[in-house]
Amino acid sequence: GGDRSGVPDPPLVPMGYAFAIWGPIFLGCLLISLAFFTRAWRRDRALHALAPWFALAMLACTLWSIVASYADLVLGTGWWGLTIPNFLLILAPLALGLIAWSRELARTGGPGTSRGSWLVGGTLGLYTGWCTAAIFANIAAWLASPPMLNFGGSEGGISLALLLCAGGVAHALLWHGAKLVRAASLAPLALMAFVGAIVWALVAIGVKNVPAQPTLERTLGVLAFVLAASLVLATFLRLRGLLAARRSMPMRSRTAALQV
């Protein structure tokens, strides 16, 4: 994100409407932040495991807002690459917080033992998925900036290569995330929110590029739709396997599985 001073976005940056996803993400984060001040949430062990990671993610998000808003005035186009490590700083504590919370949920018996499990799981999953997509979009914007394009290459070619990488990373994170939280009752919700955010970005990339005149951009748009469909199918299969495994796994075995 951020102001690119009138420079057109590369093809991998989603269509403008997709950024409306920040609305529910920030609303969820605000509600979680306020809820931490309630007595019931302060006594929740799963939320205690989440709290430090959530605080780190919010600090990193604040830093990103400052960089995206003001760095252009100081550094010009040179600032665009700064958003990449910044999004990584947001993504890392979000993922670690989700894992820590899911582990504690499994030890204490599932989401019914933790307050606001739908709010926390949905928000963290959505935020994690969107940050994953944003990292690749920001890499594309950086590589398509005037200083980088001077070294050769094209926006369409860069975006197509990054889209393939993003699809591979999304599938790998889906598989690994399901494995990490396979015994936690929150896993289906977190996975659906995570994949939903990435699919939302991919569909917006497809909508933006399929009507484009250059063949390369049109190919990128079609590929984005294909990747979105593949993620939906993979998530369905993964969730079906998780639900079947959890039904046949006693609670003691679930806890032991998470401690491996």
Side-chain angles (χ1 to χ4, degrees), residues 149-177:
L149 283 179
N150 288 337
F151 293 98
S154 67
E155 289 188 357
I158 290 170
S159 292
L160 185 60
L162 285 171
L163 180 61
L164 291 171
C165 291
V169 168
H171 275 281
L173 288 175
L174 169 62
W175 178 84
H176 191 59

Side-chain angles (χ1 to χ4, degrees), residues 37-63:
F37 290 97
T38 65
R39 180 177 301 179
W41 277 50
R42 288 200 301 268
R43 293 177 177 176
D44 192 301
R45 292 179 58 187
L47 293 170
H48 270 279
L50 167 67
W53 300 113
F54 182 77
L56 286 174
M58 293 303 98
L59 287 173
C61 182
T62 302
L63 177 61

Side-chain angles (χ1 to χ4, degrees), residues 25-203:
I25 289 175
F26 283 147
L27 177 60
C29 289
L30 175 62
L31 293 175
I32 292 170
S33 300
L34 294 175
F36 272 122
F37 290 97
T38 65
R39 180 177 301 179
W41 277 50
R42 288 200 301 268
R43 293 177 177 176
D44 192 301
R45 292 179 58 187
L47 293 170
H48 270 279
L50 167 67
W53 300 113
F54 182 77
L56 286 174
M58 293 303 98
L59 287 173
C61 182
T62 302
L63 177 61
W64 165 74
S65 299
I66 294 172
V67 169
S69 299
Y70 299 108
D72 188 59
L73 300 176
V74 179
L75 302 175
T77 58
W79 78 270
W80 293 342
L82 295 178
T83 58
I84 301 166
N86 206 159
F87 269 111
L88 287 171
L89 288 175
I90 299 173
L91 180 60
L94 283 175
L96 291 171
L98 179 59
I99 292 169
W101 187 51
S102 295
R103 286 174 181 264
E104 192 61 39
L105 283 178
R107 292 190 183 99
T108 54
T113 62
S114 180
R115 291 166 177 80
S117 59
W118 283 87
L119 171 64
V120 176
T123 300
L124 287 182
L126 203 64
Y127 204 169
T128 303
W130 184 248
C131 281
T132 301
I135 287 172
F136 287 94
N138 279 265
I139 292 174
W142 176 55
L143 293 178
S145 62
M148 298 303 295
L149 283 179
N150 288 337
F151 293 98
S154 67
E155 289 188 357
I158 290 170
S159 292
L160 185 60
L162 285 171
L163 180 61
L164 291 171
C165 291
V169 168
H171 275 281
L173 288 175
L174 169 62
W175 178 84
H176 191 59
K179 181 180 178 182
L180 282 173
V181 296
R182 65 186 181 277
S185 299
L186 178 67
L189 172 63
L191 283 172
M192 284 189 291
F194 171 79
V195 175
I198 297 179
V199 169
W200 174 260
L202 288 171
V203 169

